[in-house]
Amino acid sequence: MGNIKLKTKFAGLIIALIAISLVANLAWTSENKRAQMENELREKGMVLTQQMDAVWEFMASNQYRLEQISYTEDGVYQGLHCAIVGRSIGQLFTSQSSYTTRFVNFNPRNASDQPDEFEAVALDAFYADPECREFYQITEFQGEEVFRYSAPMRIEENCLDCHGEPAGEIDVTGYAKEGWKTGDVGGAISIVIPLDVYMDSEKSAVVQDVIFFGGMLVMCLVIIYLALTYLVTRPLQKIQAGVERIQTGDLDVELAHTESSREMNTLMTEFNEMAHELAGIYSNLETQVQDRTAQLAQANAVLERQRAQLEEANERLRDENRYKSEFLAMMSHELRTPLTSIIAFTELLNRNSDPADEKEAETRREIEANSRALLLMINDILEMSRLDAGRIEMNMETVDLGDVVGMVRAVVQPLANRKDIAFACDIDADVPLITADFEKLRHVLENLCGNAVKFTPEGGTVHLAISHHPECGQVWLRVADTGIGIAKKDQRRIFDRFVQADSSASRSYNGTGLGLSLAKEYAEMHGGTISVESEPGHGSVFTVRIPVDGVGNR
């Protein structure tokens, strides 16, 4: 809609208004003409029934005179009866037209006077309401649309000789009297008026009204359209032309005032002022651009120097980080050899000789436990250094998790014995062989079990359980303990490097803070995940989920 011209929108609006107005006028005119036609037909029906009723009354009032000449010498009545004369007069009234006149009643003396559906409704209305003087409706009669009018025939004094009391007595015409009283409804006059002529007249009048109204409406809207073009669109086109000149760089634009309206002249005045301001701004723009360019060059020079300094600092940081990684790797490697020898000599000493007393036995256990704890920390530092240097690769092979658990037990059991912690390992019977990196899985379980032992008070329990979950194609390695637990706020950051849940300087538990970070790295390298469930004072459960088919991401 935004790309349509204003003239086109006005033209569309005018066409829509013409169409809506013509439809509304047609509906209103048709309804008005139909109501006018119905009222005219009602008046005609009322006049016709009044005339027929007057003839009927005249015949009834002079009936006694007819009776004097209506009997034979034998006393047989053969004269004109008022009902016969009334019906005949009614037929004469309508003989020169297409109208149809009937006299109807319930249980009539003549079967042809039996009422149809419309007449029956009219008679019911006259019987129900003595004040009802007419009943009319536009309806169908013999398959054609017609106007039907009905008026009641009320019993008068002259009617009682043939229709009065006593009911059942035979009157002069040989019919049983109905037992009516003065004022009763003795039937109804029914008139049927065809609508052909009236409908044609109505249609002709409607067409004439619509043509006249449509012509006047079109003329008015055309005048409005021309006025809008002169007063609105033409001044706007001038402003648009001025804007296009400004867009091309021609700022020497001044629009002349028009005779359209004060508002348009005000708009053009403001446009001219804007053009003058733009010209003044543009005259100083080159100087400003030169100044801004010089300032930008100076700022770029400063940024370039800062970038060079930052790059130099980053290079120093990279060197220092490389030196740190190399130093840690070297120190870890150099420390592992004597520690391994200490652990080996301790195991050899325990196998070849028994301790002289309990104190010596405790000393041997301390040496082995502390050596293994220190070896775990050194292994963590060495592995993290390799990760930083990008020298860690996945060695995927078929792994029996029972072998992994056996090696983990050999390392963790002395640590657990030192603190009198019950350490148990369970593997479900349906756990299959998996495709994984043996050493990295071992490292993961050693870190999790070592942490569990470290953060579990004496006399607690640590349980390693391995189960198979074929519905997701994974094995779950779960390490549960009865230790100090982890607060909810700390559970997300414990997997970061060099972070422990208790990070204060006076924390009670030593460690590098690398174990859980390495466990997370190695689990994700296998395409798995690691999660924790814990509450302070109620222990922790770490769960590592490893795919059976060995889908690694490195």
Side-chain angles (χ1 to χ4, degrees):
M1 290 293 290
N3 295 326
I4 301 176
K5 291 184 177 181
L6 188 60
K7 280 189 175 182
T8 305
K9 290 184 178 181
F10 274 127
L13 178 61
I14 289 174
I15 292 173
L17 289 175
I18 291 175
I20 294 172
S21 301
L22 287 177
V23 171
N25 177 259
L26 179 62
W28 181 83
T29 303
S30 299
E31 186 66 25
N32 188 47
K33 292 297 183 181
R34 192 171 186 85
Q36 183 179 351
M37 177 187 70
E38 186 173 346
N39 188 55
E40 181 180 347
L41 291 172
R42 171 182 167 275
E43 291 179 356
K44 287 188 176 183
M46 182 173 62
V47 171
L48 186 57
T49 55
Q50 288 175 351
Q51 291 175 349
M52 296 176 65
D53 190 58
V55 172
W56 191 286
E57 184 178 353
F58 172 79
M59 294 301 299
S61 62
N62 291 279
Q63 184 68 30
Y64 72 95
R65 296 179 182 177
L66 296 174
E67 291 177 354
Q68 296 176 1
I69 60 174
S70 299
Y71 290 92
T72 64
E73 294 179 356
D74 300 330
V76 178
Y77 181 78
Q78 62 179 9
L80 294 175
H81 191 267
C82 61
I84 298 173
V85 174
R87 182 178 289 106
S88 299
I89 294 299
Q91 292 176 355
L92 289 174
F93 279 170
T94 58
S95 61
Q96 301 300 318
S97 68
S98 57
Y99 296 2
T100 301
T101 304
R102 284 164 45 85
F103 298 90
V104 296
N105 187 22
F106 294 124
N107 301 316
R109 294 184 177 185
N110 190 333
S112 63
D113 295 337
Q114 190 71 29
D116 58 18
E117 183 178 354
F118 169 82
E119 294 162 342
V121 174
L123 286 170
D124 288 337
F126 298 149
Y127 287 134
D129 184 9
E131 300 298 325
C132 184
R133 293 289 183 267
E134 60 184 356
F135 187 86
Y136 57 90
Q137 186 179 9
I138 294 178
T139 182
E140 286 192 2
F141 180 73
Q142 295 180 355
E144 296 181 359
E145 190 176 25
V146 297
F147 178 81
R148 302 198 66 176
Y149 185 90
S150 183
M153 297 176 59
R154 305 227 175 243
I155 299 300
E156 298 181 357
E157 187 69 27
N158 298 325
C159 302
L160 297 179
D161 292 339
C162 296
H163 303 283
E165 296 178 337
E169 182 182 33
I170 303 302
D171 64 2
V172 295
T173 63
Y175 290 96
K177 293 182 178 181
E178 288 82 356
W180 289 334
K181 298 178 182 179
T182 303
D184 289 347
V185 176
I189 301 174
S190 177
I191 300 174
V192 180
I193 304 176
L195 297 180
D196 297 345
V197 175
Y198 295 94
M199 292 296 289
D200 293 340
S201 176
E202 177 190 354
K203 291 179 181 179
S204 177
V206 168
V207 170
Q208 292 177 1
D209 288 348
V210 168
I211 292 175
F212 175 77
F213 176 79
M216 293 297 296
L217 182 63
V218 169
M219 184 174 64
C220 293
L221 292 177
V222 168
I223 292 173
I224 293 173
Y225 177 79
L226 295 175
L228 286 173
T229 300
Y230 177 77
L231 298 175
V232 179
T233 57
R234 192 179 67 170
L236 289 178
Q237 287 174 352
K238 290 183 178 180
I239 296 175
Q240 180 184 4
V243 171
E244 291 175 352
R245 288 178 60 186
I246 291 177
Q247 288 176 343
T248 59
D250 182 8
L251 300 180
D252 188 17
V253 178
E254 184 169 358
L255 301 179
H257 287 184
T258 66
E259 299 177 356
S260 59
S261 64
R262 179 186 300 174
E263 291 81 2
M264 285 297 175
N265 287 330
T266 301
L267 182 59
M268 289 185 176
T269 299
E270 293 178 353
F271 178 85
N272 292 334
E273 292 177 356
M274 180 195 69
H276 293 158
E277 291 177 2
L278 286 175
I281 293 172
Y282 185 76
S283 62
N284 298 324
L285 186 59
E286 291 184 357
T287 303
Q288 295 176 3
V289 169
Q290 291 176 358
D291 294 340
R292 295 295 185 271
T293 302
Q295 295 174 3
L296 183 60
Q298 295 176 359
N300 286 335
V302 172
L303 288 175
E304 182 61 27
R305 289 195 299 270
Q306 292 177 349
R307 187 195 64 77
Q309 295 172 357
L310 183 60
E311 182 64 28
E312 183 180 353
N314 287 335
E315 184 63 29
R316 288 199 303 269
L317 289 175
R318 283 193 292 268
D319 292 340
E320 292 174 0
N321 186 60
R322 184 171 65 255
Y323 296 151
K324 178 207 70 174
S325 299
E326 291 176 355
F327 173 76
L328 289 175
M330 180 186 66
M331 291 301 297
S332 299
H333 181 73
E334 294 299 326
L335 290 173
R336 284 182 67 186
T337 301
L339 276 175
T340 304
S341 298
I342 292 172
I343 294 171
F345 283 128
T346 304
E347 293 176 350
L348 182 62
L349 181 62
N350 287 333
R351 283 198 302 269
N352 294 335
S353 64
D354 295 328
D357 50 28
E358 182 58 32
K359 183 178 180 181
E360 183 180 343
E362 177 64 22
T363 301
R364 292 183 182 184
R365 286 194 295 271
E366 287 288 336
I367 292 172
E368 183 178 3
N370 287 325
S371 298
R372 291 189 182 278
L374 184 56
L375 183 60
L376 287 176
M377 288 189 288
I378 291 174
N379 287 338
D380 288 346
I381 295 173
L382 183 59
E383 291 298 314
M384 190 59 67
S385 299
R386 289 176 178 173
L387 280 173
D388 288 342
R391 295 199 298 267
I392 295 293
E393 295 182 357
M394 295 290 288
N395 183 22
M396 305 299 287
E397 58 183 333
T398 302
V399 175
D400 186 344
L401 289 173
D403 296 338
V404 178
V405 170
M407 297 187 68
V408 171
R409 182 193 292 273
V411 174
V412 177
Q413 189 67 57
L415 302 176
N417 294 339
R418 176 187 174 194
K419 297 180 65 174
D420 194 22
I421 293 174
F423 178 57
C425 300
D426 292 322
I427 302 178
D428 291 350
D430 63 341
V431 174
L433 299 177
I434 67 172
T435 302
D437 188 311
F438 184 95
E439 288 300 324
K440 290 179 176 56
L441 284 185
R442 179 183 65 80
H443 204 94
V444 169
L445 290 181
E446 283 183 359
N447 275 321
L448 293 179
C449 293
N451 277 350
V453 171
K454 180 169 63 175
F455 292 102
T456 299
E458 293 185 2
T461 61
V462 175
H463 184 211
L464 169 60
I466 299 179
S467 58
H468 181 217
H469 294 267
E471 70 279 2
C472 58
Q474 295 176 336
V475 290
W476 289 10
L477 319 177
R478 296 169 64 90
V479 178
D481 63 61
T482 58
I484 61 175
I486 305 170
K488 195 73 174 178
K489 62 184 180 62
D490 295 324
Q491 291 180 13
R492 298 185 65 179
R493 66 186 187 90
I494 60 173
F495 294 103
D496 296 337
R497 295 183 181 184
F498 304 104
V499 171
Q500 287 187 346
D502 179 11
S503 59
S504 63
S506 59
R507 64 175 184 245
S508 303
Y509 304 95
N510 296 322
T512 61
L514 295 175
L516 292 178
S517 175
L518 283 171
K520 180 175 180 293
E521 290 273 356
Y522 288 163
E524 292 177 350
M525 289 172 69
H526 281 85
T529 60
I530 185 171
S531 61
V532 61
E533 301 173 15
S534 181
E535 290 184 14
H538 293 82
S540 305
V541 179
F542 285 85
T543 303
V544 180
R545 299 170 180 83
I546 301 296
V548 174
D549 56 2
V551 181
N553 60 3
R554 292 193 185 180

